[in-house]
Amino acid sequence: MGTAVSRNLDISSNEYCLKFVGKDFITPNDPFWNRFLAFNITPPTTSNDQLALESRIEPLCQQLLQNNLHSGNLGSIIQLFLIRSTELLSATNSDARLYNWQLYNTLFTIRCVLKFLSETTTEEQLIEHVEFKGNGNTFDSLIGTLVGILVDVPVNDSTYLIHLEAVTCLLVFLSVQIHNGRRSDHSNIFRVIMIGKHVIHAPVLVKSLLTNFISQEKLPPWLWGQSGTQCGLASDLWSMLTFSRKSTEELTLHDQNDFQQAPLATQSLLLVLVLVHHWTTHTNPYRNSLFSCLNSLGNSPVPPSNVSSLFKIDFNALYVTLCKKVSGDAATLLLYLLLHRNLAFKTYLLGRMDLEQLIVPILKTLYNAPNSNSHHIYMSLIIILILSEDDSFNKLIHETKLKNITWYTERTLTEISLGGLLILVVIRTVQYNMLKMRDKYLHTNCLAALANMSAQFRELHPYVSQRLVSLFETLAKRYLRLVKRLKTEKNERDKEVAITVNQDFTDMEQDLTVLEEVLRMVLEILNSCLSTQLTNNPNLIYTLLYNKHMFETFKDNVVFQDIIHNIHIIIKYFSQLLNDKSQQYEVDAHQVLLVIQQGAKNWPKEKLTKFPDLKFKYVEEDQPEDFFIPYVWALVSQQSVLHWTNDSSPLLSAVC
């Protein structure tokens, strides 16, 4: 953007910038562009950097908005980009960096203008600005070129930023939904991307974006203030917009977010999520591609030639990256999509023997629920629920041993099974929800996952057994208190006191109904475990005996009578064995366990009433777009430099 400009000069007074935003048309082949686009800028990698940039160029963008429908200079710079991008693959190594640097500057400038227009004009006006003085297909050609770069041009040091800007420009175009509030199938921009001629590239585009995510390529070293020969040719104009930053070594883990570390990977994942979560009431080629991709290293059959949405990708590399990144919202959402809708990936994942690499980070997210947003907690729980539908998973997690779980601070866990840790964290989530969130949907998912796993609970750690029974005890005490309050309120209501008391009574009745459902589910989980794995859970029986008074309270309650009958039989059987042994000599805790283990061998399982197996399956709710679309755009706003305020978009405020 001009040469020999002082660092202290206000960018809005630069002659090249003023000419670009002025009323005079500049042809794509005018030598002006070589001077205007000769600037050097370190790309913004934080929202604050981006906001600082936008505040400086806003006066220029305002002038361009006023003049572009006379000058057509936005269309002209887009035409320049379209022309120069055709030479992207043919540039020789000697001039590639200089050529690509200028091409990046061109696309970066276009992106800045498009973001401003997307926030200040309607979708129709934005397209009008792009098309003015063009041939009527400038927008379509730009989309095609952006997609072409992502699918055809290799990512290397000299093309990295061009790929990053190509992804970012597509996100900017798609962000019109944030501002106009329309459904995506009512958007002309979405229509071009979803059903235009470029959809033929949908499978390879999704593959390319996933490959970027898997690769986690960092910004090339020369972009961190190390000016090469070519960069030294740039002017000082935008150097005042080059944001100060520490070296990679100086950045702390807290300072580094995913975008700062690997912006192309982060932005590519966000674009995948945006593409697959829109246009869901119609055929979405990007969504179909993600849901039908196969493992490039497996024995998956070659896709039929007539199935154009299929592609293959390295599931192992994808799994390894997900394990590293699943503590973040975006990677968690991608994992959910693959598990829920891609059978090939789900089958592959469930066949792995190192699932602790994936599950432990998810459990840490749930454990740190107070520091996580509710959407992330939901998605993490749903992943656990989906996995718990598989019996092999439920068996494997109890065979996988973990050591020294230092982040679990309630109790020192020097060794525990993955299954035991999972139970602890899910129980903790239930209890946190009871105290803070009071969300029935979250309760349901937690208990459904425990129920699915319950028939495979094996060799439960003493502490896990305590927490399971303690969960019942906590709920039981709360239930009994509520029953007592309801009786009191009923007596007051019969005396016709204030209407507000009647409303309170109704609320308490609803709370009681929910508590009854939760309590019964916990009893069913205990019953399922004891009915199928009694001999493998002496610690759980020990804990039941120690807390048998709590179960006695409910054995005559008609709501729980049938299910608690089995637990009562088990308690009675082992209590009798211990009573017989204690008459001979005094028994300590170790001897109690020995009695339980020996008694379990002779346990007459036919005494128990048979209940149906506990099997719950995750089903996506009706109109999932109402949940996912605001969530995805909130992630784009939070995790990329494309920051939007909640005030400017009701869509974003819906998740905050």
Side-chain angles (χ1 to χ4, degrees), residues 26-269:
I26 308 169
T27 64
N29 59 359
D30 193 304
F32 160 84
W33 297 111
N34 291 329
R35 304 293 295 275
F36 174 67
L37 296 169
F39 60 83
N40 185 27
I41 182 171
T42 301
T45 56
T46 70
S47 293
N48 287 337
D49 288 352
Q50 181 65 27
L51 289 171
L53 167 64
E54 291 177 3
S55 67
R56 296 214 180 187
I57 65 174
E58 183 176 358
L60 293 169
C61 290
Q62 291 283 5
Q63 290 184 57
L64 184 64
L65 175 61
Q66 294 174 12
N67 297 328
N68 183 65
L69 293 183
H70 177 79
S71 70
N73 285 336
L74 174 59
S76 188
I77 194 175
I78 291 174
Q79 288 298 327
L80 176 69
F81 170 72
L82 297 177
I83 294 168
R84 291 186 174 182
S85 64
T86 60
E87 303 172 28
L88 188 56
L89 286 172
S90 60
T92 62
N93 290 335
S94 60
D95 62 2
R97 179 169 291 186
L98 177 59
Y99 183 84
N100 293 346
W101 159 63
Q102 292 177 329
L103 189 62
Y104 160 70
N105 287 348
T106 307
L107 188 53
F108 180 82
T109 304
I110 293 170
R111 187 256 285 186
C112 290
V113 174
L114 290 176
K115 184 171 187 291
F116 175 81
L117 291 176
S118 72
E119 296 175 315
T120 55
T121 67
T122 66
E123 179 181 346
E124 290 76 16
Q125 290 170 335
L126 186 152
I127 295 176
E128 182 184 9
H129 276 275
V130 169
E131 294 287 357
F132 190 73
K133 287 196 176 180
N135 55 12
N137 65 352
T138 302
F139 170 69
D140 193 65
S141 298
L142 178 57
I143 295 296
T145 300
L146 296 174
V147 171
I149 287 171
L150 295 174
V151 302
D152 292 329
V153 178
V155 178
N156 55 44
D157 279 3
S158 69
T159 63
Y160 187 99
L161 287 181
I162 297 173
H163 276 265
L164 179 58
E165 283 305 316
V167 174
T168 306
C169 274
L170 288 171
L171 281 170
V172 167
F173 273 128
L174 293 167
S175 72
V176 294
Q177 192 194 39
I178 293 179
H179 309 292
N180 65 27
R182 295 179 185 169
R183 283 176 34 172
S184 57
D185 55 358
H186 294 168
S187 161
N188 290 325
I189 290 176
F190 272 91
R191 188 172 293 112
V192 168
I193 293 174
M194 292 294 174
I195 62 175
K197 61 185 180 182
H198 313 296
V199 299
I200 190 173
H201 300 298
V204 68
L205 176 59
V206 174
K207 180 178 181 179
S208 297
L209 295 172
L210 286 179
T211 300
N212 291 343
F213 170 66
I214 291 169
S215 299
Q216 293 291 312
E217 295 279 352
K218 293 178 170 54
L219 277 171
W222 60 270
L223 288 170
W224 295 87
Q226 303 176 20
S227 298
T229 304
Q230 292 86 351
C231 294
L233 297 174
S235 73
D236 287 338
L237 174 61
W238 278 39
S239 62
M240 61 184 172
L241 298 178
T242 300
F243 309 103
S244 62
R245 63 182 77 252
K246 301 175 183 177
S247 69
T248 307
E249 291 75 21
E250 292 173 326
L251 285 169
T252 65
L253 289 176
H254 177 72
D255 293 328
Q256 290 177 321
N257 59 35
D258 283 348
F259 190 91
Q260 289 172 307
Q261 294 180 63
L264 180 58
T266 302
Q267 209 82 324
S268 295
L269 174 56

Side-chain angles (χ1 to χ4, degrees), residues 284-328:
N284 180 327
Y286 308 94
R287 188 174 175 88
N288 292 346
S289 297
L290 179 67
F291 295 167
S292 59
C293 70
L294 301 173
N295 187 8
S296 61
L297 302 181
N299 297 319
S300 304
V302 177
S305 58
N306 62 338
V307 182
S308 59
S309 63
L310 290 178
F311 66 88
K312 289 190 173 186
I313 198 164
D314 185 348
F315 279 1
N316 177 67
L318 179 56
Y319 174 82
V320 170
T321 303
L322 284 169
C323 289
K324 294 177 182 177
K325 297 296 178 181
V326 76
S327 58

